[in-house]
Amino acid sequence: MRSSTSSVRSDRPVRVVLIGYGPVGARLVEHLLPGVAGGELELTVVGAEDEDAYNRVLIGEYAVGRADRDGLEITDTPAARAAGVRIRTAEVAVSIDRDRQCVRTSIGADVPYDRLVLATGSRPNIPRLAGLELVGRAPDAPPSRDPAALDRGASRRPSGVLALRDLGDAEALKAGLRAGGRLVVLGAGVLGMEIALAARDEGAAVSIVHPGETPMAGALDRDGGLMLARAARMAGVDVIPHAVAESVSVRQTGRGAQFRGLVCADGTFVGGDLLVVSCGVRPRIELAHRAGLDTEFGILVEPDLRTWADPDIFAIGDCAHVAPADSAGSDGRVGGAPAGLIAPGWRQAEALAARLVAQARGDEELGQQPAAPRAPVVMLKARGVDLVAGGVVDADPWDSGGREVAQWLDPTRGRYVRAVSRGGVLDGFVAVGAPRAGAELTLLLERGSSLPADPATVLHLDREGQDVGAQTGHDAATVCWCNGVSIGGVERAVADGASTVECVGRATRAGTGCGGCRGRIAEVLLRLTEPRPEGAAPAQPGVAERGVAAPTSAEPALASVET
């Protein structure tokens, strides 16, 4: 691996080419604009979709009618073009010539670069069930030359089978639900649970099928998963665990095959009109692989986001597998995987943009700074189901390997909190039905802080009649994890005239990522604007003197989901 970026002629701008114009690519474009406007950079973007970048995280909200198309907008493409950015949509990058430093596109254009950034994202993982064998794109398939076939396999999906990764799937799901269709969701990760709960909340009949004992098993411990399953059933979702899907049943119509149900290995038949496949994602790495770049679960990059094989090529977002080049084990395999969350991708985009601009301006020291890692936090966006978790969650309380486990379980009231610590410092947590505890534990995990000497003071924050103490000094508490916006940032936006959640989002970006923090933003707005009794002191927002985050009744403090 070359140790440093190659030099660029100083008599012209640095040519940066970005492949991928999704949410992470759009954030990179936005933060590169100062360099483009200053003449230090020339930026070309190659995007496969015939759409400006939009927020994929909110596709489910759009599909069930909770968000309109304008609510998915996250970037200002006309402004970027006016600043000089060349944005080529409905065009696919099909090859990278690293020797000539040139990208060939699907229309036969050659785009030269000095720095190349891959933000190719991920595609839905389509299991090879009977009836769907050739629907998913094969891992060894060459890069597609057809933008519409970027994730398509050799055969077409039956009508009614959706992956919910783009606007086309969202429109099909919206139409099916409006027609009264019964929805089957295959997979109980965070996205599967969100779409199942949202569709049920809008009146649809919904079944969710998964092979494990509990939903969201990768993010929750067993008790947390059982509590989530109970909450979903209470909401009216038919949760079917231990169900190994084997085949898709279809009926033939004049328009071709139409989904009619899912057949499980034990003979269980789950009938429906629509199937949403939510079985995870696979990074799009074929372009990088064919260019000779190192790949494992994603495109292998150093902590500063340079690819292992070529320091002039970077990767960010869902396709980037961050690991030092010396981290391969004795079997040659590299641990870890892409984060799969929008917040880390946005932070990578911002950090890389800052480095590229700094390097173009000759500030090599600033141009070498890696993105600062932050503890991953997963939050479920669902009305009436508060769930947030992060860090290590599955330690055994009886054999924890040096960790301490404290938990509070109240099935009758749908509350569960678990805190895992090492040496007193919070290592991970789960909070279901406990927004106050979830907000406090999220803040402690984010800061690497210690739990109180008696963890019960945090675990029981949502107990009826619990006194959370005087609310003071909370400004640094994060309200939007995706964009790193604090409660103080929201307050400053309100002081500048923001009066709605949407106004706060335009001013600070809070709530424009996964959207899970909008309830908490609304509560901050209510607290700041509600009338006070005559002579009462102004409300003191924030974390309690001992560090407890402002209580919420609807949503935990932070939010992060798969991109």
mmCIF file of all heavy atoms in Angstrom, residues 194-215:
data_model
loop_
_atom_site.group_PDB
_atom_site.id
_atom_site.type_symbol
_atom_site.label_atom_id
_atom_site.label_comp_id
_atom_site.label_asym_id
_atom_site.label_seq_id
_atom_site.Cartn_x
_atom_site.Cartn_y
_atom_site.Cartn_z
ATOM 1 N N GLU A 194 -39.850 -1.430 12.058
ATOM 2 C CA GLU A 194 -40.409 -0.096 11.833
ATOM 3 C C GLU A 194 -41.524 -0.112 10.805
ATOM 4 O O GLU A 194 -42.587 0.487 11.013
ATOM 5 C CB GLU A 194 -39.301 0.868 11.404
ATOM 6 C CG GLU A 194 -38.407 1.302 12.543
ATOM 7 C CD GLU A 194 -37.345 2.289 12.122
ATOM 8 O OE1 GLU A 194 -37.169 2.516 10.900
ATOM 9 O OE2 GLU A 194 -36.673 2.829 13.013
ATOM 10 N N ILE A 195 -41.300 -0.793 9.675
ATOM 11 C CA ILE A 195 -42.336 -0.776 8.643
ATOM 12 C C ILE A 195 -43.551 -1.577 9.095
ATOM 13 O O ILE A 195 -44.700 -1.197 8.814
ATOM 14 C CB ILE A 195 -41.796 -1.295 7.295
ATOM 15 C CG1 ILE A 195 -42.799 -1.010 6.181
ATOM 16 C CG2 ILE A 195 -41.455 -2.753 7.336
ATOM 17 C CD1 ILE A 195 -43.108 0.454 5.965
ATOM 18 N N ALA A 196 -43.338 -2.675 9.848
ATOM 19 C CA ALA A 196 -44.476 -3.455 10.339
ATOM 20 C C ALA A 196 -45.320 -2.627 11.300
ATOM 21 O O ALA A 196 -46.556 -2.588 11.196
ATOM 22 C CB ALA A 196 -43.970 -4.728 11.024
ATOM 23 N N LEU A 197 -44.686 -1.951 12.243
ATOM 24 C CA LEU A 197 -45.421 -1.156 13.225
ATOM 25 C C LEU A 197 -46.090 0.054 12.581
ATOM 26 O O LEU A 197 -47.222 0.413 12.924
ATOM 27 C CB LEU A 197 -44.479 -0.713 14.338
ATOM 28 C CG LEU A 197 -44.059 -1.832 15.307
ATOM 29 C CD1 LEU A 197 -42.833 -1.410 16.119
ATOM 30 C CD2 LEU A 197 -45.209 -2.191 16.239
ATOM 31 N N ALA A 198 -45.388 0.691 11.631
ATOM 32 C CA ALA A 198 -45.967 1.869 10.978
ATOM 33 C C ALA A 198 -47.178 1.488 10.137
ATOM 34 O O ALA A 198 -48.220 2.165 10.171
ATOM 35 C CB ALA A 198 -44.912 2.557 10.110
ATOM 36 N N ALA A 199 -47.073 0.395 9.370
ATOM 37 C CA ALA A 199 -48.195 -0.025 8.536
ATOM 38 C C ALA A 199 -49.383 -0.439 9.401
ATOM 39 O O ALA A 199 -50.544 -0.141 9.084
ATOM 40 C CB ALA A 199 -47.771 -1.184 7.631
ATOM 41 N N ARG A 200 -49.112 -1.124 10.505
ATOM 42 C CA ARG A 200 -50.210 -1.512 11.396
ATOM 43 C C ARG A 200 -50.861 -0.281 12.020
ATOM 44 O O ARG A 200 -52.096 -0.208 12.142
ATOM 45 C CB ARG A 200 -49.674 -2.437 12.506
ATOM 46 C CG ARG A 200 -50.717 -2.858 13.513
ATOM 47 C CD ARG A 200 -51.830 -3.648 12.877
ATOM 48 N NE ARG A 200 -53.003 -3.762 13.753
ATOM 49 C CZ ARG A 200 -54.251 -3.632 13.343
ATOM 50 N NH1 ARG A 200 -54.524 -3.392 12.059
ATOM 51 N NH2 ARG A 200 -55.244 -3.753 14.191
ATOM 52 N N ASP A 201 -50.039 0.703 12.384
ATOM 53 C CA ASP A 201 -50.568 1.921 12.984
ATOM 54 C C ASP A 201 -51.462 2.675 12.008
ATOM 55 O O ASP A 201 -52.374 3.393 12.422
ATOM 56 C CB ASP A 201 -49.401 2.811 13.426
ATOM 57 C CG ASP A 201 -49.852 3.942 14.332
ATOM 58 O OD1 ASP A 201 -50.575 3.669 15.311
ATOM 59 O OD2 ASP A 201 -49.492 5.104 14.064
ATOM 60 N N GLU A 202 -51.217 2.484 10.705
ATOM 61 C CA GLU A 202 -52.051 3.138 9.694
ATOM 62 C C GLU A 202 -53.235 2.271 9.282
ATOM 63 O O GLU A 202 -53.939 2.605 8.336
ATOM 64 C CB GLU A 202 -51.199 3.476 8.471
ATOM 65 C CG GLU A 202 -50.100 4.497 8.748
ATOM 66 C CD GLU A 202 -50.634 5.822 9.253
ATOM 67 O OE1 GLU A 202 -51.695 6.264 8.744
ATOM 68 O OE2 GLU A 202 -50.009 6.422 10.151
ATOM 69 N N GLY A 203 -53.430 1.137 9.970
ATOM 70 C CA GLY A 203 -54.634 0.347 9.752
ATOM 71 C C GLY A 203 -54.458 -0.928 8.953
ATOM 72 O O GLY A 203 -55.428 -1.674 8.769
ATOM 73 N N ALA A 204 -53.259 -1.236 8.487
ATOM 74 C CA ALA A 204 -53.051 -2.434 7.684
ATOM 75 C C ALA A 204 -52.962 -3.676 8.568
ATOM 76 O O ALA A 204 -52.545 -3.609 9.723
ATOM 77 C CB ALA A 204 -51.775 -2.295 6.854
ATOM 78 N N ALA A 205 -53.346 -4.810 8.002
ATOM 79 C CA ALA A 205 -53.119 -6.102 8.650
ATOM 80 C C ALA A 205 -51.681 -6.506 8.350
ATOM 81 O O ALA A 205 -51.265 -6.529 7.186
ATOM 82 C CB ALA A 205 -54.091 -7.148 8.117
ATOM 83 N N VAL A 206 -50.905 -6.840 9.388
ATOM 84 C CA VAL A 206 -49.465 -7.047 9.223
ATOM 85 C C VAL A 206 -49.014 -8.288 9.963
ATOM 86 O O VAL A 206 -49.397 -8.512 11.125
ATOM 87 C CB VAL A 206 -48.650 -5.834 9.746
ATOM 88 C CG1 VAL A 206 -47.153 -6.047 9.524
ATOM 89 C CG2 VAL A 206 -49.104 -4.541 9.085
ATOM 90 N N SER A 207 -48.195 -9.101 9.294
ATOM 91 C CA SER A 207 -47.490 -10.215 9.923
ATOM 92 C C SER A 207 -45.999 -10.000 9.713
ATOM 93 O O SER A 207 -45.576 -9.577 8.627
ATOM 94 C CB SER A 207 -47.888 -11.559 9.303
ATOM 95 O OG SER A 207 -49.259 -11.828 9.504
ATOM 96 N N ILE A 208 -45.193 -10.286 10.740
ATOM 97 C CA ILE A 208 -43.746 -10.212 10.606
ATOM 98 C C ILE A 208 -43.160 -11.577 10.934
ATOM 99 O O ILE A 208 -43.473 -12.166 11.979
ATOM 100 C CB ILE A 208 -43.144 -9.085 11.465
ATOM 101 C CG1 ILE A 208 -41.654 -8.915 11.160
ATOM 102 C CG2 ILE A 208 -43.376 -9.286 12.951
ATOM 103 C CD1 ILE A 208 -41.085 -7.590 11.646
ATOM 104 N N VAL A 209 -42.353 -12.096 10.022
ATOM 105 C CA VAL A 209 -41.824 -13.455 10.103
ATOM 106 C C VAL A 209 -40.312 -13.380 10.285
ATOM 107 O O VAL A 209 -39.628 -12.676 9.539
ATOM 108 C CB VAL A 209 -42.164 -14.232 8.816
ATOM 109 C CG1 VAL A 209 -41.546 -15.623 8.839
ATOM 110 C CG2 VAL A 209 -43.674 -14.300 8.605
ATOM 111 N N HIS A 210 -39.792 -14.113 11.283
ATOM 112 C CA HIS A 210 -38.339 -14.114 11.457
ATOM 113 C C HIS A 210 -37.897 -15.442 12.049
ATOM 114 O O HIS A 210 -38.663 -16.117 12.759
ATOM 115 C CB HIS A 210 -37.885 -12.933 12.327
ATOM 116 C CG HIS A 210 -38.358 -12.979 13.747
ATOM 117 N ND1 HIS A 210 -37.565 -13.417 14.788
ATOM 118 C CD2 HIS A 210 -39.543 -12.652 14.309
ATOM 119 C CE1 HIS A 210 -38.242 -13.338 15.921
ATOM 120 N NE2 HIS A 210 -39.445 -12.870 15.666
ATOM 121 N N PRO A 211 -36.646 -15.863 11.802
ATOM 122 C CA PRO A 211 -36.213 -17.200 12.206
ATOM 123 C C PRO A 211 -35.786 -17.325 13.653
ATOM 124 O O PRO A 211 -35.682 -18.436 14.173
ATOM 125 C CB PRO A 211 -35.023 -17.475 11.277
ATOM 126 C CG PRO A 211 -34.459 -16.114 10.992
ATOM 127 C CD PRO A 211 -35.651 -15.197 10.947
ATOM 128 N N GLY A 212 -35.529 -16.249 14.343
ATOM 129 C CA GLY A 212 -35.009 -16.317 15.698
ATOM 130 C C GLY A 212 -36.092 -16.327 16.754
ATOM 131 O O GLY A 212 -37.294 -16.349 16.463
ATOM 132 N N GLU A 213 -35.632 -16.260 18.002
ATOM 133 C CA GLU A 213 -36.577 -16.233 19.120
ATOM 134 C C GLU A 213 -37.169 -14.847 19.308
ATOM 135 O O GLU A 213 -38.355 -14.705 19.639
ATOM 136 C CB GLU A 213 -35.875 -16.665 20.410
ATOM 137 C CG GLU A 213 -36.775 -16.655 21.631
ATOM 138 C CD GLU A 213 -36.036 -16.972 22.918
ATOM 139 O OE1 GLU A 213 -34.794 -16.974 22.906
ATOM 140 O OE2 GLU A 213 -36.713 -17.205 23.946
ATOM 141 N N THR A 214 -36.349 -13.800 19.097
ATOM 142 C CA THR A 214 -36.789 -12.438 19.370
ATOM 143 C C THR A 214 -36.418 -11.519 18.215
ATOM 144 O O THR A 214 -35.461 -11.778 17.484
ATOM 145 C CB THR A 214 -36.134 -11.897 20.655
ATOM 146 O OG1 THR A 214 -34.699 -11.886 20.483
ATOM 147 C CG2 THR A 214 -36.502 -12.757 21.853
ATOM 148 N N PRO A 215 -37.161 -10.430 18.027
ATOM 149 C CA PRO A 215 -36.802 -9.455 16.991
ATOM 150 C C PRO A 215 -35.580 -8.633 17.392
ATOM 151 O O PRO A 215 -35.221 -8.548 18.562
ATOM 152 C CB PRO A 215 -38.050 -8.570 16.896
ATOM 153 C CG PRO A 215 -38.698 -8.677 18.237
ATOM 154 C CD PRO A 215 -38.409 -10.074 18.725
#
